[in-house]
Amino acid sequence: MLGPSSTLLHKQQEQQQQYYFISKQASSRERRADDNNWKSKGLYRPNHQRDYTETFRLYPAASMLVPHESSDDCEIGGYNIPRGTILLVNAWAVHRDPNVWDDPIHFKPERFEGLQVQLSKLIPFGMGRRSCPGSGLAQRVVGLALKSLIQSFDWKRIG
C-alpha cells in the first residue's frame, strides 16, 4: 500500500498543494483522520475518490481475477469458447490496455473526473457474483490509511 500511496503523494503540484492543505488543516496528531471528522472541518475533497480509483486501476487487488467457467458456447474477442471452459481475466492487463485507457501506464486521476466508468473497464476487485466481497471495505480503508499517513508525517520529495 505504501507504493500506491507514494504515487498519490508525488503526483503533481495541484495535488501536492491539496495534500499540504489537508495536512496543515487537519486536527491535531492526537485525533486521527476519519471521513466524518474531515467532512465536519470542511477538509473532505470529493476528488480523493478519483485518486483512489486510479490507484486501484494501476494496482488491482489481484492481477488475475477469480476463474470463471463458461456456461454456454460463446465468442470472446473473436475466439470461440466452448461450454465448460475455465476463463481467467487479467485485470492488470485490462487496466493497462491502450485500447481501453488513454495513457494507461501513467497515474492520471483526472480521467475519472465527472465520468461514470464502464464496469467492464475498471475491474480491480472483479465483477459479477464472484467479485470481491471486501471491495467496499478496501476502498474505505485505503482512503482512511492515506489520510492518516498524510496527517501523521511531513512528506517531502527527495531528488
Side-chain angles (χ1 to χ4, degrees), residues 38-53:
W38 285 49
K39 284 179 186 176
S40 69
K41 293 186 178 296
L43 300 174
Y44 181 78
R45 300 285 185 255
N47 58 355
H48 285 171
Q49 186 58 47
R50 69 183 185 157
D51 295 343
Y52 309 148
T53 304

Side-chain angles (χ1 to χ4, degrees), residues 23 45 77 79 99 120:
S23 66
R45 300 285 185 255
Y79 294 97
N99 296 324
S120 60

Side-chain angles (χ1 to χ4, degrees), residues 62-88:
S63 58
M64 298 295 285
L65 301 181
V66 176
H68 289 67
E69 182 178 340
S70 62
S71 56
D72 291 318
D73 292 345
C74 61
E75 185 176 317
I76 300 174
Y79 294 97
N80 291 321
I81 309 296
R83 182 175 189 251
T85 302
I86 301 295
L87 303 169
L88 296 171

